[in-house]
């Protein structure tokens, strides 16, 4: 008997009725029944649903967590300090002399803004990881169900072949018994 309905696939492969399947199992069974592929790229799925703010947070985290940013920011800080300590102070024009109060204010403001944005990006990455795990589970479940269905088909084919051979052997045995 060939597997055809979602209820039959669920019962034979997962060992439970269709109404007891969780969402992922039901989706995989529906994909099998409709002949659709169920493997999807988690990054593509996450990008389809991401908002402008989430994409911005990812970009800020990517820039803020790079060596290029660290090096450029270090050069800017060193330049600021040299400019206000050495160059402009000789002319009495230092706008932020040592102890660099304005620089500290700007750094604190940057940290206050950048930290939550990076945390948003990390939360989004965690959501992507959960989505990837869910999609991997679906793909693995689909493969397992397909393998079980192939086993079932092979078992049926072998059984039918054995029944056919048994019938031929019985027929030959009866023919030999008559002669």
């Amino acid at each position: 008997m060939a597997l055809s309905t979602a209820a039959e696939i669920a019962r034979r492969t997962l060992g439970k009725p269709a109404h007891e399947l969780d969402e992922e199992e039901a989706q995989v069974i529906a994909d099998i029944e409709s002949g659709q592929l169920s493997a999807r790229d988690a990054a593509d799925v996450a990008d389809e649903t991401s908002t402008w703010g989430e994409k911005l947070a990812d970009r800020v985290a990517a820039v803020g967590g790079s060596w290029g940013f660290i090096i450029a920011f270090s050069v800017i800080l060193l330049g600021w300090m040299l400019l206000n300590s050495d160059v402009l102070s000789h002319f009495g024009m230092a706008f932020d002399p040592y102890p660099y109060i304005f620089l500290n204010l700007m750094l604190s403001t940057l940290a206050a803004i950048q930290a939550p944005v990076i945390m948003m990006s990390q939360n989004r990455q965690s959501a992507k990881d959960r989505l990837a795990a869910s999609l991997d589970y679906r793909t693995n479940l689909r493969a397992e169900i397909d393998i079980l269905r192939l086993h079932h088909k092979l078992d049926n084919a072998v059984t039918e072949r054995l029944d056919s051979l048994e019938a031929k052997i019985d027929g030959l045995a009866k023919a030999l018994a008559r002669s």
Side-chain angles (χ1 to χ4, degrees):
M1 169 187 241
L3 296 176
S4 59
T5 67
E8 185 67 16
I9 294 170
R11 188 183 64 73
R12 286 205 183 263
T13 59
L14 300 175
K16 52 185 166 181
H19 69 275
E20 289 182 7
L21 299 177
D22 64 28
E23 181 183 337
E24 290 171 325
E25 292 170 337
Q27 183 62 48
V28 169
I29 297 292
D31 289 346
I32 289 171
E33 191 174 35
S34 68
Q36 289 181 344
L37 296 176
S38 56
R40 295 187 65 196
D41 183 17
D44 292 343
V45 173
D47 288 343
E48 290 171 4
T49 60
S50 64
T51 65
W52 180 82
E54 290 171 334
K55 290 178 185 176
L56 178 63
D58 287 345
R59 283 190 219 115
V60 168
V63 170
S66 69
W67 278 109
F69 175 79
I70 292 169
I71 291 167
F73 200 65
S74 297
V75 168
I76 290 170
L77 291 176
L78 184 62
W80 181 289
M81 289 184 272
L82 286 174
L83 187 67
N84 282 290
S85 296
D86 239 4
V87 178
L88 294 178
S89 63
H90 281 92
F91 301 106
M93 298 174 56
F95 58 90
D96 188 23
Y98 183 80
Y100 314 115
I101 294 171
F102 185 59
L103 178 61
N104 282 324
L105 174 65
M106 289 187 357
L107 291 174
S108 297
T109 303
L110 176 66
I113 293 170
Q114 193 177 23
V117 171
I118 290 172
M119 288 174 60
M120 284 188 288
S121 180
Q122 288 175 335
N123 288 340
R124 181 167 146 69
Q125 186 59 47
S126 294
K128 281 183 182 180
D129 291 345
R130 285 190 299 276
L131 177 62
S134 174
L135 293 176
D136 286 348
Y137 172 74
R138 282 185 177 182
T139 301
N140 293 340
L141 182 61
R142 169 78 183 254
E144 190 173 346
I145 289 172
D146 284 341
I147 289 168
L148 288 171
R149 291 176 69 213
L150 284 173
H151 275 289
H152 181 72
K153 285 181 181 180
L154 285 173
D155 290 347
N156 284 342
V158 168
T159 302
E160 288 174 9
R161 183 73 177 146
L162 287 175
D163 288 345
S164 170
L165 288 173
E166 186 178 4
K168 287 180 183 178
I169 291 171
D170 287 346
L172 288 172
K174 286 181 186 176
L176 284 174
R178 284 187 218 143
S179 38

